[in-house]
Amino acid sequence: MKPIIFDVDTGIDDALAMAYALHSPELEVLGFTTCFGNVAVEDATRNTLAVLEQLNQHIPVYSGANQTLKRGEKKKYPKHVHGEDGLGNTLKGQPSLQAAHESAVDFIINQVKSRPQEITVIAVGPLTNIALAIKKSPEIMSLVKEVIIMGGAVKVPGNVNPFAEANIISDPDAADLVLSSKLPVTLVGLDVTMQTCLPKSKLDDWRATGIESAQFFAKMTDHYMKAYDSSHPGLGGCALHDPLAVGVAIDSGFVSTELMDVKVVTEGEETGRTIGEPDRKSSIRVCTEVDADRFVKHFLDRVIRS
Ligand code: BDR
Ligand code: CA
């Protein structure tokens, strides 16, 4: 089992990625760390706890960054995509589970130090917690096994504007720090995630199971797919951004990668853009191709469990 720290900004595709990870015997999720991104950090923590409650899983959740590294608080959250609550308006009241007392940054540092070369970090939100952990304890850079990041758009256009992907533009300075840190990174960007599609018909299959958590996931994913109907008419479903990062942690054979030096633009109209140049000495593997059919099938076989 791979020990995982899973950094999320729970959102709808984050929630699907959580279920996929927790139902995968290859992974041992040690804890979830939360960051602002799709929603404010308090809501990301609440949503992470709510998803765990639905899945009947008691994994610790550590609350993290409420603002960017250098630019203060994020001003606008994508409510049209993830709903008012971040989970497609599915939440009914507060979860009864509570967040842990330790901070996300301290949890990351302490776990990585206590298990050198063992821990894989999967990060599917802005990279603020990882950047803060590196700043506070730079020695962790040589102690992490791998960091799998859902973020960036290297050879394809962005999804927030023609240049930038949402997780990177949410904190470009944090992304710049992490991607220039020499950490062993696998970058799962829009280059590959936009090739994955969860078709609408699968939500009917989830509803038909009669499983309570399946209704919860179907309702939130239906909301997400409606946003895709306006942004990507004709797709007939939604992309599986964050779940693909989990898929790569389970089986790196889902993707092909190229070693690249990746720079993050931090100023001007292209802020948040990830520019990749082939570099055989780089520590960053950029995912450039995906076996989308095999991955989507694998995800569907696992995401819903009774
Ligand atoms: C990423 O942005 C967020 O909205 C999603 O949860 C995903 O992590 C896709 O660009
Ligand atoms: Ca996310």
Side-chain angles (χ1 to χ4, degrees), residues 52-73:
L52 288 173
E53 199 158 272
Q54 275 288 341
L55 296 172
N56 205 12
Q57 298 258 359
H58 294 260
I59 311 276
V61 177
Y62 302 86
S63 209
N66 63 359
Q67 59 176 333
T68 62
L69 215 51
K70 299 183 179 170
R71 300 169 199 233
E73 276 181 44

Side-chain angles (χ1 to χ4, degrees), residues 77-285:
Y77 295 106
K79 296 193 167 164
H80 57 294
V81 182
H82 294 273
E84 285 296 319
D85 60 7
L87 290 178
N89 307 325
T90 54
L91 281 191
K92 300 187 183 79
Q94 290 291 323
S96 47
L97 295 175
Q98 301 277 321
H101 291 297
E102 194 178 12
S103 74
V105 168
D106 287 342
F107 175 70
I108 294 169
I109 293 170
N110 292 335
Q111 287 294 317
V112 169
K113 281 188 176 170
S114 67
R115 300 180 71 170
Q117 305 302 341
E118 282 185 38
I119 292 189
T120 297
V121 177
I122 305 177
V124 298
L127 292 168
T128 321
N129 288 332
I130 319 298
L132 288 169
I134 293 173
K135 272 169 85 91
K136 187 167 179 183
S137 189
E139 63 272 32
I140 63 166
M141 282 186 284
S142 60
L143 302 176
V144 178
K145 183 161 187 247
E146 189 182 9
V147 184
I148 301 177
I149 295 170
M150 191 283 126
V154 175
K155 297 185 181 184
V156 298
N159 57 359
V160 172
N161 62 41
F163 309 108
E165 181 279 327
N167 288 338
I168 302 294
I169 201 173
S170 291
D171 194 347
D173 308 299
D176 180 36
L177 193 149
V178 172
L179 294 177
S180 54
S181 70
K182 307 282 179 253
L183 274 167
V185 165
T186 301
L187 197 65
V188 184
L190 300 181
D191 304 77
V192 280
T193 64
M194 283 309 298
Q195 294 179 42
T196 67
C197 176
L198 175 64
K200 280 183 184 171
S201 61
K202 297 300 173 192
L203 303 191
D204 292 332
D205 298 347
W206 294 359
R207 290 185 191 104
T209 61
I211 298 167
E212 196 188 320
S213 63
Q215 314 308 313
F216 175 67
F217 285 116
K219 191 169 175 209
M220 74 173 77
T221 309
D222 187 56
H223 180 101
Y224 197 51
M225 287 181 175
K226 288 196 172 106
Y228 265 84
D229 280 345
S230 0
S231 59
H232 299 82
L235 184 69
C238 64
L240 290 168
H241 302 292
D242 295 349
L244 184 58
V246 172
V248 171
I250 298 168
D251 180 354
S252 59
F254 284 131
V255 288
S256 310
T257 61
E258 290 174 30
L259 284 172
M260 289 191 205
D261 177 53
V262 179
K263 298 251 178 310
V264 179
V265 177
T266 56
E267 278 171 27
E269 68 157 348
E270 296 190 8
T271 295
R273 182 172 181 180
T274 41
I275 300 174
E277 290 289 340
D279 176 357
R280 282 189 297 155
K281 293 201 179 114
S282 175
S283 62
I284 304 177
R285 293 179 185 281

Side-chain angles (χ1 to χ4, degrees), residues 8-11 13-14 38 82 124-125 150 167 242:
V8 290
D9 61 330
T10 313
D13 61 323
D14 304 68
N38 290 322
H82 294 273
V124 298
M150 191 283 126
N167 288 338
D242 295 349

